[in-house]
Amino acid sequence: MATKWGFFLCNCRKTLPLDPQKLVLPVGPSILSNASDPNHDVGEFAAAVERERPDLVLISCCADPGVFSKILDPAQRQSPKLLFVNLKEGCFAVHSNPIEAHAKASRLLRAAVASAESEETLRFNPLKAGKRLLIATDSLVGQKLAEQLADLAQPVFVVPRGAFDPTPPGEVYEGKIGEIKGRLGDFRVTIEDAQPSTGPRRQLQADQVVVISQEDGFFFKPRTGLHLLIHPGAAEVDRVAARVRELVGEFLKPVHVSYQADTCAGGSADQDACGICITACPYDAIGRDPENHLRMRVDHMACEGCGACASACPTSSLRFTEPSPQGIYTRLAALLARRPGFEGERLAVLFHCSEQGSHVLDEAARQALPYPPGVLPVQVPCLRYVSEANMLAAFRLGADGVELLGCEECPHGERELLYQKLEFCRLTLDAFGLGAERLRLITAADGGEREALTALSKFAVTLSATPIRWDGKPLRQWGNREVIEDALRSFIDQLAREPGRRPLERSFPFAFAEVNESGCTMCRSCVNVCPTHAFKLDEKSQALEFKPMACVACGLCEKVCPEHVITLRPEIYFDKGALDHQTAVQDSMVSCAKCGKPYINRKALETVEARLFSLESLLDTFTGNRRNLLRMCPDCRDVDAMMEVEKGWKP
């Protein structure tokens, strides 16, 4: 059944040139409100919502979202889902040309509707955080924070030995923090050289942790419930105190990542493999399953939702839930659809994080700092979320350029994996002659918003038109490797170019499996363990086939091959042959010497014969008529073997 929509479009008390008649709305709305004053007009809109019962409501207004949530979601049995798209800040405040602003607004509305309709229902887990607060401090700032939170349970202090005289009141441990593990509601903090204690280390539990230092640098990663302060001022202490209060209580924590164990490349045949997701996660939320070390276990309570694991997973066994892969690609397609009259417009997809990336765009709207209307924002939780598949899909859908805008210092830690993915995409663009300069990473720190905006604007206005034209067909598969394949096939077809082999660093999840044909026995070990079906055996033609683009370099085929004839080479092939299965080893079937029925492949038979006939102890066994036993099918072999026994043969 088609989704019923409601639209509340506000022109900000007629200060915006927003005209719904100039918008290309993505659906025929059941409700459309062209509002000027949300406080006045939302009542009438709410009555229409109550009457028409739309499934989703999209609101474009700069007023507090709580105004709409309170009125449009009064504990109804069938309350619509609310979406917010601020056309004022995203279009009319930063694009002075009304035609361009309306065109951009149409793109944003279409993208919001399309992605919302493709998203699945989120799952949640209950989480409870109590009032036990651990404050590690080397100054009196920690005591001031504790005083602000005096109505909570008595804080636990960790202070340097001899730093305070007298020590703060209450539960106090002298020492330093050695390690912080866990998550909101269940932090486990190891105190080194702790007093009072029975030894040099002690572990404390807390619902939240605040670390305050007058020295630069932390080796802890911030996360929900773990607050890190360096040289904090009064305002920052107030902010943390307020945040601590917000995080006390019971919550529903979204499940950010789903896991499909049956496609995981974590291992097979009792051989560990892959494990990229484990090192990619900055919060130790992913590890090997204690009950099955060949598969992963996701600690959904510890997950902070940065998306790094889903971006890293070469088989897409880990998938982010919001935005989901389908939601991202549906949004990209809606944003990049070319419109009549705007054929010459340069379009640049801007993946931006929800921290500094969003802050730069917010500042642009607040200060009315213009940037090109062809810059199309796509918000992601963190730039770690952005995969090579996301970036290449944007180019496959006709983007002239792709920008990534995020934090100068990512709160989730180092992002080497992102740099690796950027390198791979640039290599791909260069290989096809599209130019690595079509891809740019821009970072911003507090106070550097204007410079970041200038950089993204300069990038957008200097883009040349892409030769890639989208055929209008949506992506049908959303796995990382399938999306990459689809993009490369489009590049090859449209550019009539097959760049061929490119070497890669070993850390890249791509490889070519070179098989020594003369030593291969077609035993199928590689076929049985390959998690992506890069290897397969064609029974009719008796050919072992390999698909290079499906290989994720997990190494299982190398490990289990009994003949040791497979070697993985870190490289990628940009040609059509690499996108499909190609013959790696060709063989033929051998027919039974007695009944003529095909029963074994030649390479396997020759290998068995060579090994058996090389053993002196078996030379008498396979002499005379018995030499052909191995050349018979199992049925005929049993009959002939029994006849030889009757003649006196003792096998």
Side-chain angles (χ1 to χ4, degrees), residues 182-484:
R183 43 80 179 175
L184 175 67
D186 184 25
F187 281 109
R188 298 173 299 282
V189 183
T190 301
I191 310 301
E192 297 178 347
D193 193 27
Q195 292 291 330
S197 74
T198 57
R201 294 170 65 87
R202 183 185 184 97
Q203 190 174 87
L204 303 176
Q205 287 193 302
D207 293 290
Q208 296 189 62
V209 178
V210 179
V211 181
I212 303 172
S213 177
Q214 300 303 311
E215 299 180 1
D216 293 336
F218 287 120
F219 57 91
F220 311 115
K221 297 184 182 72
R223 63 194 78 175
T224 305
L226 172 57
H227 316 273
L228 307 178
L229 298 172
I230 299 177
H231 304 296
E236 194 170 5
V237 172
D238 291 344
R239 178 183 59 79
V240 169
R243 182 59 174 156
V244 168
R245 290 184 183 279
E246 291 174 358
L247 294 175
V248 174
E250 297 182 3
F251 309 93
L252 288 176
K253 189 178 189 301
V255 175
H256 295 293
V257 178
S258 64
Y259 174 59
Q260 298 293 325
D262 55 342
T263 59
C264 178
S268 184
D270 208 34
Q271 298 283 338
D272 288 352
C274 196
I276 295 175
C277 56
I278 299 175
T279 56
C281 178
Y283 299 105
D284 300 320
I286 299 178
R288 293 199 175 268
D289 190 335
E291 297 180 1
N292 180 3
H293 67 94
L294 303 180
R295 291 296 175 262
M296 305 301 159
R297 184 176 67 177
V298 181
D299 184 347
H300 294 292
M301 292 302 192
C303 174
E304 287 289 317
C306 70
C309 60
S311 175
C313 182
T315 63
S316 295
S317 298
L318 290 162
R319 295 201 177 193
F320 209 76
T321 55
E322 190 179 33
S324 68
Q326 183 179 358
I328 280 288
Y329 296 125
T330 302
R331 180 178 292 273
L332 286 174
L335 285 172
L336 292 167
R338 299 282 175 172
R339 289 187 56 203
F342 292 88
E343 289 81 0
E345 186 179 21
R346 300 289 183 265
L347 300 180
V349 170
L350 177 66
F351 292 108
H352 68 89
C353 73
S354 58
E355 299 291 338
Q356 281 296 105
S358 292
H359 183 59
V360 169
L361 298 183
D362 291 343
E363 280 297 295
R366 189 178 69 82
Q367 300 183 42
L369 302 174
Y371 57 89
V375 174
L376 307 174
V378 176
Q379 180 171 312
V380 292
C382 172
L383 291 189
R384 293 163 179 269
Y385 172 100
V386 184
S387 67
E388 63 269 60
N390 298 155
M391 292 182 270
L392 292 179
F395 288 110
R396 177 254 194 257
L397 294 170
D400 298 295
V402 172
E403 301 175 272
L404 284 77
L405 176 62
C407 307
E408 182 73 26
E409 297 291 337
C410 178
H412 299 290
E414 298 298 325
R415 45 190 178 202
E416 288 303 316
L417 190 65
L418 173 64
Y419 300 143
Q420 182 187 100
K421 294 180 181 301
L422 287 166
E423 182 182 346
F424 175 81
C425 289
R426 288 177 177 135
L427 179 149
T428 303
L429 294 173
D430 262 346
F432 283 96
L434 294 170
E437 66 277 2
R438 291 185 184 273
L439 179 61
R440 175 100 187 262
L441 170 64
I442 301 169
T443 59
D446 287 337
E449 296 83 10
R450 187 180 290 267
E451 290 78 5
L453 198 67
T454 299
L456 74 86
S457 297
K458 183 177 180 180
F459 172 85
V461 299
T462 56
L463 284 172
S464 60
T466 177
I468 302 298
R469 285 293 176 264
W470 179 35
D471 57 10
K473 298 178 181 178
L475 275 65
R476 298 299 184 187
Q477 298 186 77
W478 306 292
N480 285 346
R481 197 51 60 98
E482 292 84 359
V483 171
I484 294 171

Side-chain angles (χ1 to χ4, degrees), residues 7-153:
F7 291 87
F8 185 90
L9 306 179
C10 180
N11 61 24
C12 203
R13 294 176 176 81
K14 300 182 180 180
T15 61
L16 301 182
L18 174 61
D19 183 354
Q21 300 302 317
K22 295 180 180 179
L23 296 174
V24 181
L25 293 176
V27 291
S30 57
I31 308 169
L32 173 59
S33 174
N34 183 19
S36 292
D37 184 348
N39 294 320
H40 177 269
D41 298 330
V42 72
E44 182 179 343
F45 182 67
V49 168
E50 173 68 20
R51 183 175 61 253
E52 300 292 339
R53 295 286 186 184
D55 303 296
L56 296 102
V57 169
L58 189 150
I59 297 165
S60 173
C61 184
C62 61
D64 183 356
V67 172
F68 301 93
S69 299
K70 183 178 180 180
I71 296 178
L72 298 178
D73 190 20
Q76 301 175 24
R77 286 181 300 172
Q78 295 181 332
S79 299
K81 180 178 179 180
L82 305 183
L83 289 88
F84 296 87
V85 178
N86 195 327
L87 297 181
K88 175 183 177 180
E89 294 185 355
C91 301
F92 294 96
V94 290
H95 308 314
S96 57
N97 185 318
I99 296 177
E100 294 176 340
H102 278 91
K104 172 82 167 282
S106 296
R107 291 185 186 278
L108 296 184
L109 290 173
R110 287 202 309 270
V113 167
S115 61
E117 290 183 341
S118 66
E119 293 288 5
E120 298 179 1
T121 302
L122 279 178
R123 293 190 298 116
F124 296 86
N125 287 322
L127 183 150
K128 182 177 181 180
K131 300 179 179 181
R132 186 172 172 83
L133 175 66
L134 187 148
I135 301 176
T137 180
D138 58 5
S139 71
L140 294 175
V141 175
Q143 288 182 251
K144 294 178 180 177
L145 175 64
E147 291 170 3
Q148 292 190 47
L149 299 169
D151 55 319
L152 295 178

Side-chain angles (χ1 to χ4, degrees), residues 535-553:
F535 275 109
K536 75 173 185 177
L537 183 66
D538 188 312
E539 299 283 356
K540 285 187 177 180
S541 64
Q542 278 300 296
L544 177 66
E545 297 180 342
F546 175 68
K547 180 179 177 181
M549 190 51 63
C551 179
V552 297

